[in-house]
Amino acid sequence: PQWYGSSVFERSVRKHGINAEYGQLLRTGNLGEALNHYHAAVEGDAKNYLAYYQRATVFLALGRHKQALSDFDTVIRLKPDFHHAKSERGTVLMKQGKVEDARAQFTELLNADPEKAQAGLSDLPVLEQAIEDGDEYFENSDFATAIDHYDHAIDIAKWDTSLREKRAEAYLKIGNIINAIGDVRAIAKLTNDNTNAYLKLAQLHYIMGEEEESLKEIRECLKLDQDHKDCHTHYKKVKKLVKQLNQAQDFINEGVYGEAVSKLKAALKTESSEEKIVLKIQSRLCLCNKQGGFVEDCLSTCTTVLERESQDIEALVNRAECLILNEDFEGAIKDYQTAQGIHTDSKHIKEGLHRAEKLLKQSKKRDYYKILGVPRNAEKSQINKAYRKLAKEFHPDKYTDEADKAEAEKKFIDIAAAKEVLTDDEKRQQFDNGEDPLDPETEQGKNFHQHFHGGFPFGGGGGGGGQQFHFKFQ
């Protein structure tokens, strides 16, 4: 502080016996302990004006301007000619936005300390004009310009909560919720037991889709007043929603996507209108439906997300994967291309696009899933069941007509190939990546097709020698 080390301070230390250790605490920034010392000094000597003054400066350093003002009042009452206290008091009043009180204090100080008094008096008209201009632009719905003027006013009167309330409202008018939160948070700190400020903070965080932060702020409101009706209503809703979302996340982490979907649907019933909260829930549903292989629900929820946020890369990629499961490869390519346009350097997106393009090309040749009539996310048991059914239906030995037998043999080869690929994890992965492991041009493909070369030598059937192939329904 400017008074520290002055002759006034030194004389007061000698006169009142204040230990210089207290000043050392201020130098080292140990404000809490310094404040305790000054509390003790004041209690020990209620007429020690310098102890009040020193405590006031610590209060100011701690942001407790109301307590500081009270101590400055006491200092001036005890020692009316202590001009440092009057100067500090005038500055505090001005920062609180109490223009007339500050003007009166600086005017009283004119003769004793004209330089400081004039500095304060010159700031007050600037403050008044900034407030007047800000209010006028606000009334005319020019909120951005109003904010500029409120900025100038708050630079001078930073502890005036009414100015921050006005600026917060202006920020909300232009949709700048983050800056509005900053002002409301400052109001909560500047005023004691301000339940409405904490309620407003909770509501603003909720609008931002920050339910955890909203819950934290509404708890602060209830700490101040556990019977606050509006805070309690908001608390019950947000607490329930946070619990549902956390339970859903636990299921996601465990890979239990069906249960996660159930919890997320319950969360949508808890909150169905707040846009960013709903979008967050729909985004998680998009992911869970994709991961769980719930194709139709995946396409629905991911599309809902993209209707609101067309540049959402995660939703684009998730929907692309579900389109692949739905064998809409052209749609998947389009989504991946859109995602790549947003994030050009993503290796994951490039690989996904390349795979979708290969699958489209592959689909125009032989599709093992379609041959067996199973979805792309079918379990192995489902594949084997479809295979057994079709193999019985198209077994060549069942046909006597040569044309029918030839057609059955062709279908049987495709059915056998589908089973060969889709029941082998490695081959199925190759196929899902757009590569046919039984393509006649590959070594694996040649070996498979050579097995049937020269006819279809099933026991008792058709054309050409070679070893007998006894079909088993396994």
Side-chain angles (χ1 to χ4, degrees), residues 179-376:
N179 282 7
I181 286 174
D183 272 336
V184 178
R185 191 176 300 284
I187 292 168
K189 290 181 179 179
L190 289 168
T191 53
N192 295 327
D193 302 338
N194 195 330
T195 54
N196 288 333
Y198 285 111
L199 174 60
K200 189 71 172 178
L201 279 173
Q203 292 169 335
L204 291 176
H205 279 295
Y206 195 72
I207 292 171
M208 289 288 291
E210 299 168 349
E211 68 283 347
E212 295 273 5
E213 193 65 28
S214 178
L215 184 60
K216 174 184 173 184
E217 298 298 347
I218 207 65
R219 280 174 172 156
E220 292 299 318
C221 175
L222 292 173
K223 285 179 184 178
L224 298 174
D225 181 2
Q226 63 180 358
D227 297 322
H228 194 292
K229 183 178 178 181
D230 292 337
C231 287
H232 189 65
T233 299
H234 186 77
Y235 171 74
K236 287 198 300 183
K237 180 178 182 178
V238 180
K239 181 184 177 183
K240 181 179 180 181
L241 179 68
V242 167
K243 181 179 179 180
Q244 290 167 331
L245 292 179
N246 286 341
Q247 287 174 334
Q249 188 59 50
D250 288 340
F251 283 125
I252 291 171
N253 295 340
E254 295 167 7
V256 187
Y257 297 107
E259 292 296 327
V261 167
S262 296
K263 291 297 179 182
L264 291 169
K265 286 181 177 179
L268 271 181
K269 291 181 180 179
T270 301
E271 180 52 74
S272 59
S273 60
E274 197 58 65
E275 184 176 352
K276 291 196 175 182
I277 296 288
V278 171
L279 184 60
K280 176 184 288 188
I281 298 171
Q282 291 284 9
S283 295
R284 292 186 187 180
L285 277 170
C286 169
L287 169 67
C288 290
N289 284 322
K290 188 267 286 188
Q291 292 293 90
F294 314 127
V295 178
E296 292 303 319
D297 287 340
C298 170
L299 295 175
S300 174
T301 51
C302 292
T303 298
T304 297
V305 173
L306 291 167
E307 285 172 350
R308 300 185 182 194
E309 293 287 344
S310 61
Q311 303 291 295
D312 190 317
I313 292 178
E314 184 179 359
L316 283 165
V317 170
N318 285 335
R319 187 172 71 172
E321 288 301 310
C322 290
L323 286 167
I324 287 174
L325 289 174
N326 211 36
E327 300 192 356
D328 182 357
F329 305 117
E330 291 180 350
I333 289 170
K334 184 177 179 181
D335 274 355
Y336 268 123
Q337 287 174 336
T338 302
Q340 189 175 52
I342 300 167
H343 193 338
T344 56
D345 298 326
S346 171
K347 182 181 177 182
H348 175 64
I349 293 173
K350 287 179 182 178
E351 290 174 348
L353 175 58
H354 181 59
R355 181 164 57 87
E357 289 171 337
K358 289 202 301 183
L359 287 168
L360 175 61
K361 183 179 179 181
Q362 178 192 81
S363 69
K364 296 176 181 178
K365 297 179 180 178
R366 184 165 58 172
D367 188 328
Y368 296 127
Y369 291 104
K370 285 184 178 180
I371 289 170
L372 294 183
V374 296
R376 297 188 75 87

Side-chain angles (χ1 to χ4, degrees), residues 417-430:
K419 191 252 186 185
E420 169 88 9
V421 170
L422 299 184
T423 56
D424 182 291
D425 291 340
E426 184 178 345
K427 291 177 182 176
R428 183 176 182 178
Q429 186 63 54
Q430 284 180 271

